[in-house]
Amino acid sequence: MELKNMVAMVARSGRQLQRYNKGHRQVVGCIPYRIKSNKEKNLEDALEVLVISAQRKGKGMLFPKGGWESDESIKEAALRESMEEAGVFGTLERILGKWHFKSKSKDALYEGYMFPLLVKGQLDFWPEKDIRQRVWMSVPKAKEVCQQSWMKEALDLLVIRLESSTTTIDEESM
């Protein structure tokens, strides 16, 4: 087995290293995406995003995210969460933004950061494989199934960013 396909098969757990900012637990996540082909006429038809099932049954689908810990950079946390929860790796792109939100199940306050992750590969086995499903889908379908409004906002920002970069590329090639 190649080294690049090796990953720690145990996800981090516990809150000992968890970061907080003014009482808000800091979480970091990614929107894993891929472009199906260059043959598609528009970005919406070519773009797919990866969503995962929530840990608790019946809580819907979401993008990989989790606690940002004190022994890692924000980018390391984003990449770790994508590997642990979805078993994907790739190129982490410029941050989409920061959101403040309240947990639906608890009264906890969160500060969430989201990054786009251009997926270069996915593993057959990853730490949370037995407790999560992962599904590639279109942007409209992801907006339909994602339970988190802040994640939907991040997805909208990703689409806007990709559309503007595609337009720039198209204009440059003329």
Side-chain angles (χ1 to χ4, degrees):
M1 182 181 283
E2 291 182 33
L3 185 59
K4 72 175 185 140
N5 291 327
M6 299 290 288
V7 66
M9 289 304 291
V10 178
R12 285 187 172 196
S13 61
R15 299 273 192 266
Q16 306 90 308
L17 299 176
Q18 180 60 59
R19 289 178 189 249
Y20 288 84
N21 181 22
K22 298 177 184 168
H24 291 73
R25 180 173 173 232
Q26 294 181 305
V27 295
V28 181
C30 287
I31 300 177
Y33 77 94
R34 65 186 180 191
I35 308 294
K36 287 191 296 190
S37 75
N38 293 332
K39 296 175 186 169
E40 305 297 339
K41 292 199 184 334
N42 62 47
L43 180 66
E44 191 169 302
D45 292 336
L47 180 63
E48 287 187 315
V49 294
L50 183 71
V51 295
I52 58 171
S53 59
Q55 267 187 312
R56 294 190 310 233
K57 291 206 184 292
K59 295 295 180 184
M61 304 294 277
L62 52 117
F63 296 111
K65 68 108 181 90
W68 176 13
E69 299 185 355
S70 60
D71 66 340
E72 61 191 351
S73 72
I74 192 169
K75 291 180 178 181
E76 289 169 336
L79 291 168
R80 176 181 52 78
E81 289 297 339
S82 295
M83 183 61 72
E84 287 179 358
E85 294 186 352
V88 293
F89 58 92
T91 303
L92 194 68
E93 298 175 348
R94 187 170 42 91
I95 193 167
L96 291 165
K98 174 173 78 170
W99 289 262
H100 287 93
F101 60 97
K102 189 175 183 179
S103 168
K104 291 181 180 179
S105 59
K106 308 170 195 134
D107 275 344
L109 299 173
Y110 292 86
E111 182 176 275
Y113 300 84
M114 290 296 279
F115 291 87
L117 178 72
L118 178 57
V119 174
K120 300 293 185 185
Q122 62 184 38
L123 303 175
D124 292 331
F125 301 97
W126 67 97
E128 297 187 11
K129 179 185 186 340
D130 293 336
I131 58 173
R132 296 190 191 272
Q133 295 177 337
R134 65 180 178 196
V135 182
W136 285 100
M137 61 181 58
S138 69
V139 170
K141 183 66 177 170
K143 285 187 194 176
E144 187 181 309
V145 302
C146 183
Q147 303 292 309
Q148 307 289 331
S149 60
W150 70 280
M151 288 185 174
K152 292 179 189 183
E153 288 177 26
L155 180 55
D156 286 338
L157 290 172
L158 173 60
V159 170
I160 290 166
R161 182 182 293 173
L162 292 174
E163 284 175 341
S164 67
S165 67
T166 303
T167 303
T168 304
I169 292 166
D170 290 344
E171 289 170 356
E172 289 173 357
S173 62
M174 293 181 165

Short mmCIF file of all heavy atoms in Angstrom, two decimals, residues 30-31 33 79 89-94 115-121:
data_model
loop_
_atom_site.label_atom_id
_atom_site.label_comp_id
_atom_site.label_asym_id
_atom_site.label_seq_id
_atom_site.Cartn_x
_atom_site.Cartn_y
_atom_site.Cartn_z
N CYS A 30 -14.88 21.92 5.67
CA CYS A 30 -14.60 22.04 4.24
C CYS A 30 -15.85 21.72 3.44
O CYS A 30 -16.69 20.93 3.88
CB CYS A 30 -13.53 21.05 3.81
SG CYS A 30 -11.89 21.46 4.35
N ILE A 31 -15.90 22.30 2.26
CA ILE A 31 -16.86 21.86 1.26
C ILE A 31 -16.03 21.13 0.21
O ILE A 31 -15.37 21.76 -0.63
CB ILE A 31 -17.62 23.03 0.62
CG1 ILE A 31 -18.40 23.79 1.69
CG2 ILE A 31 -18.55 22.50 -0.49
CD1 ILE A 31 -19.14 25.02 1.17
N TYR A 33 -15.27 19.42 -3.12
CA TYR A 33 -15.92 19.54 -4.43
C TYR A 33 -15.03 18.98 -5.52
O TYR A 33 -13.83 18.79 -5.35
CB TYR A 33 -16.32 20.99 -4.71
CG TYR A 33 -15.19 21.90 -5.14
CD1 TYR A 33 -14.91 22.10 -6.50
CD2 TYR A 33 -14.39 22.56 -4.21
CE1 TYR A 33 -13.88 22.94 -6.90
CE2 TYR A 33 -13.36 23.40 -4.61
CZ TYR A 33 -13.11 23.58 -5.96
OH TYR A 33 -12.09 24.41 -6.36
N LEU A 79 -8.28 20.15 7.02
CA LEU A 79 -7.86 18.95 6.30
C LEU A 79 -8.09 17.69 7.13
O LEU A 79 -8.52 16.66 6.62
CB LEU A 79 -6.39 19.07 5.88
CG LEU A 79 -6.11 20.12 4.80
CD1 LEU A 79 -4.61 20.38 4.67
CD2 LEU A 79 -6.71 19.70 3.47
N PHE A 89 -9.11 13.89 0.47
CA PHE A 89 -7.98 14.80 0.59
C PHE A 89 -7.86 15.57 -0.72
O PHE A 89 -8.41 15.16 -1.75
CB PHE A 89 -6.68 14.05 0.91
CG PHE A 89 -6.32 12.99 -0.09
CD1 PHE A 89 -5.48 13.29 -1.16
CD2 PHE A 89 -6.81 11.69 0.02
CE1 PHE A 89 -5.14 12.32 -2.10
CE2 PHE A 89 -6.47 10.72 -0.91
CZ PHE A 89 -5.64 11.03 -1.97
N GLY A 90 -7.16 16.70 -0.65
CA GLY A 90 -7.01 17.49 -1.86
C GLY A 90 -6.36 18.82 -1.57
O GLY A 90 -5.60 18.97 -0.61
N THR A 91 -6.72 19.82 -2.38
CA THR A 91 -6.15 21.15 -2.27
C THR A 91 -7.10 22.05 -1.50
O THR A 91 -8.23 22.29 -1.95
CB THR A 91 -5.90 21.74 -3.68
OG1 THR A 91 -5.05 20.85 -4.40
CG2 THR A 91 -5.26 23.11 -3.59
N LEU A 92 -6.63 22.54 -0.37
CA LEU A 92 -7.42 23.46 0.44
C LEU A 92 -7.28 24.86 -0.15
O LEU A 92 -6.17 25.33 -0.39
CB LEU A 92 -6.91 23.45 1.89
CG LEU A 92 -7.82 24.09 2.92
CD1 LEU A 92 -9.10 23.27 3.10
CD2 LEU A 92 -7.09 24.20 4.25
N GLU A 93 -8.40 25.49 -0.42
CA GLU A 93 -8.39 26.81 -1.06
C GLU A 93 -8.69 27.91 -0.04
O GLU A 93 -8.92 27.64 1.13
CB GLU A 93 -9.39 26.81 -2.22
CG GLU A 93 -8.99 25.78 -3.28
CD GLU A 93 -9.99 25.65 -4.41
OE1 GLU A 93 -11.13 26.17 -4.29
OE2 GLU A 93 -9.65 25.01 -5.41
N ARG A 94 -8.71 29.15 -0.51
CA ARG A 94 -8.89 30.33 0.34
C ARG A 94 -10.22 30.24 1.12
O ARG A 94 -11.25 29.86 0.57
CB ARG A 94 -8.87 31.58 -0.54
CG ARG A 94 -8.88 32.88 0.20
CD ARG A 94 -8.62 34.07 -0.72
NE ARG A 94 -9.29 34.01 -2.01
CZ ARG A 94 -10.51 34.54 -2.24
NH1 ARG A 94 -11.15 35.16 -1.31
NH2 ARG A 94 -11.04 34.44 -3.45
N PHE A 115 -13.83 26.22 4.37
CA PHE A 115 -12.88 26.28 3.26
C PHE A 115 -13.40 25.41 2.11
O PHE A 115 -14.00 24.36 2.37
CB PHE A 115 -11.53 25.69 3.67
CG PHE A 115 -10.75 26.49 4.65
CD1 PHE A 115 -10.95 26.33 6.01
CD2 PHE A 115 -9.79 27.40 4.22
CE1 PHE A 115 -10.22 27.06 6.94
CE2 PHE A 115 -9.04 28.13 5.13
CZ PHE A 115 -9.26 27.96 6.49
N PRO A 116 -13.12 25.77 0.87
CA PRO A 116 -13.34 24.84 -0.23
C PRO A 116 -12.18 23.83 -0.25
O PRO A 116 -11.04 24.19 0.05
CB PRO A 116 -13.27 25.72 -1.48
CG PRO A 116 -13.15 27.13 -1.02
CD PRO A 116 -12.70 27.09 0.40
N LEU A 117 -12.50 22.60 -0.58
CA LEU A 117 -11.47 21.57 -0.74
C LEU A 117 -11.66 20.94 -2.12
O LEU A 117 -12.64 20.23 -2.35
CB LEU A 117 -11.60 20.49 0.35
CG LEU A 117 -10.59 19.35 0.24
CD1 LEU A 117 -9.19 19.81 0.61
CD2 LEU A 117 -11.01 18.17 1.11
N LEU A 118 -10.74 21.23 -3.04
CA LEU A 118 -10.77 20.60 -4.36
C LEU A 118 -10.23 19.18 -4.17
O LEU A 118 -9.04 18.99 -3.90
CB LEU A 118 -9.93 21.39 -5.36
CG LEU A 118 -9.83 20.79 -6.76
CD1 LEU A 118 -11.20 20.58 -7.39
CD2 LEU A 118 -8.96 21.67 -7.65
N VAL A 119 -11.11 18.21 -4.27
CA VAL A 119 -10.76 16.82 -3.94
C VAL A 119 -9.86 16.22 -5.02
O VAL A 119 -10.17 16.28 -6.21
CB VAL A 119 -12.03 15.97 -3.73
CG1 VAL A 119 -11.69 14.51 -3.53
CG2 VAL A 119 -12.83 16.51 -2.54
N LYS A 120 -8.75 15.65 -4.56
CA LYS A 120 -7.80 14.97 -5.45
C LYS A 120 -7.90 13.45 -5.31
O LYS A 120 -7.45 12.71 -6.17
CB LYS A 120 -6.36 15.40 -5.12
CG LYS A 120 -6.12 16.89 -5.27
CD LYS A 120 -6.21 17.34 -6.70
CE LYS A 120 -5.84 18.80 -6.82
NZ LYS A 120 -6.02 19.32 -8.15
N GLY A 121 -8.46 13.00 -4.18
CA GLY A 121 -8.61 11.56 -3.98
C GLY A 121 -9.50 11.26 -2.78
O GLY A 121 -9.73 12.11 -1.92
#
